[in-house]
Amino acid sequence: AARAIATAGSLARPVLVGYENQALEDLLLDMRSQRRRFAVVVDDLGSVAGVVTLQGLLEALIGRAGHAA
């Protein structure tokens, strides 16, 4: 029997897309409602600008956990 070749596309899952000018609070709401731990951020032209993690987003909003002020 022929063995199927696995591809990146066969493992790909839908991803949450955020926008460079999107408010962090709005992105957090989107991440929570869609139960995502990261989002791909795109610029105005639709090019990938980077990735935001849930942890990084929370740190930006409320500071590092356990970090002395």
Side-chain angles (χ1 to χ4, degrees), residues 3-69:
R3 184 174 171 198
I5 297 174
T7 64
S10 68
L11 295 176
R13 301 292 178 258
V15 65
L16 176 63
V17 176
Y19 301 93
E20 281 187 318
N21 60 353
Q22 185 174 9
L24 295 181
E25 294 84 356
D26 292 340
L27 182 57
L28 177 61
L29 290 173
D30 290 345
M31 291 175 82
R32 289 184 67 198
S33 69
Q34 295 186 34
R35 301 180 60 95
R36 304 292 180 169
R37 292 191 168 275
F38 68 93
V40 174
V41 178
V42 297
D43 63 18
D44 292 337
L45 300 175
S47 298
V48 174
V51 175
V52 173
T53 64
L54 181 58
Q55 180 178 349
L57 180 56
L58 291 172
E59 287 176 0
L61 289 170
I62 60 175
R64 293 181 62 99
H67 180 70

